[in-house]
């Protein structure tokens, strides 16, 4: 049974204009321990202080605000994969099936994440079926597509144990 692992890294590119000539260079990759504004800013800042530059958008207290406070000359834009992910999320949110799937995955995550009793009983269901426990995960987050894929993977692989447990809870 394969388990999907999400690794978060920021690709850092520098763009500069010298005498009207624009150049873009790949400057490096910085690992991010958790995909939130604080950690992404720290990773990019670490890259910048290693002699790198960065590109990325944020919000009021997001990456843009944090970086431009220290580096006002840096122009921040979304990378193409992130733009694609945002467009995919926007299109998916208009699909009624996606809305139902999101509600299901969020409900399962909440049901097991916030109750140690439910979590323990789900683990027992996995064990009774001879399967390795695979808890429902959050289907939302900064890296939305990878979170959704992980949550869906855990749901599909753990379907029989989840059904068994829920049938015991709600006969």
């Amino acid at each position: 049974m394969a388990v999907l692992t999400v690794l978060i890294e920021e690709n850092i590119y520098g763009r500069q204009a010298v005498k009207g000539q624009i150049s873009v260079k790949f400057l490096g990759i910085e690992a991010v321990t958790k995909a939130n504004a604080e950690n992404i800013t720290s990773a990019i800042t670490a890259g910048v202080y290693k002699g790198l530059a960065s590109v990325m958008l944020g919000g009021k207290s997001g990456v843009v605000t944090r970086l431009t406070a220290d580096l006002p000359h840096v122009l921040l834009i979304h990378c193409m994969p992130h733009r694609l992910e945002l467009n995919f999320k926007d299109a998916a949110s208009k699909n009624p099936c996606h809305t139902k799937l999101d509600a299901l995955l969020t409900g399962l995550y909440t049901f097991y994440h916030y109750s140690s009793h439910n979590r323990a009983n789900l683990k027992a269901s996995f064990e009774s079926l001879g399967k390795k426990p695979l808890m429902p995960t959050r289907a939302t987050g900064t890296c939305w597509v990878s979170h959704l894929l992980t949550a869906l993977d855990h749901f599909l692989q753990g379907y029989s144990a989840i059904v068994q447990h829920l049938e015991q809870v709600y006969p």
Side-chain angles (χ1 to χ4, degrees):
M1 168 174 20
V3 176
L4 193 62
T5 303
V6 178
L7 177 65
I8 302 166
E9 294 183 327
E10 290 297 316
N11 295 317
I12 303 174
Y13 291 83
R15 177 185 284 181
Q16 67 179 13
V18 178
K19 296 182 182 178
Q21 294 291 76
I22 298 173
S23 64
V24 178
K25 293 183 182 178
F26 174 74
L27 300 171
I29 297 175
E30 290 291 324
V32 179
T33 55
K34 184 177 179 185
N36 61 23
E38 180 182 352
N39 289 326
I40 291 172
T41 304
S42 294
I44 293 172
T45 303
V48 169
Y49 286 115
K50 289 179 190 173
L52 307 176
S54 174
V55 291
M56 198 170 173
L57 286 175
K60 288 184 180 179
S61 65
V63 176
V64 169
T65 304
R66 292 168 184 255
L67 283 176
T68 55
D70 293 333
L71 307 163
H73 60 282
V74 173
L75 175 64
L76 299 152
I77 58 171
H78 279 298
C79 64
M80 198 50 75
H82 189 63
R83 287 182 191 185
L84 182 61
E85 185 174 62
L86 291 172
N87 286 321
F88 179 76
K89 182 178 182 179
D90 186 47
S93 68
K94 296 173 184 167
N95 183 318
C97 289
H98 174 267
T99 304
K100 290 176 183 178
L101 176 65
D102 186 53
L104 171 67
L105 295 174
T106 300
L108 287 171
Y109 169 74
T110 302
F111 185 73
Y112 291 109
H113 181 75
Y114 292 106
S115 171
S116 58
H117 177 71
N118 289 336
R119 206 167 35 257
N121 287 335
L122 180 59
K123 285 180 184 177
S125 288
F126 273 104
E127 290 168 6
S128 74
L129 295 170
K131 292 184 169 189
K132 179 183 172 194
L134 201 57
M135 294 295 113
T137 62
R138 188 170 46 96
T140 59
T142 306
C143 299
W144 178 76
V145 173
S146 62
H147 284 284
L148 176 62
L149 289 175
T150 301
L152 193 54
D153 182 57
H154 284 208
F155 171 70
L156 293 173
Q157 289 191 45
Y159 181 77
S160 56
I162 292 169
V163 168
Q164 178 179 304
H165 176 248
L166 291 176
E167 285 176 345
Q168 292 169 356
V169 175
Y170 304 105

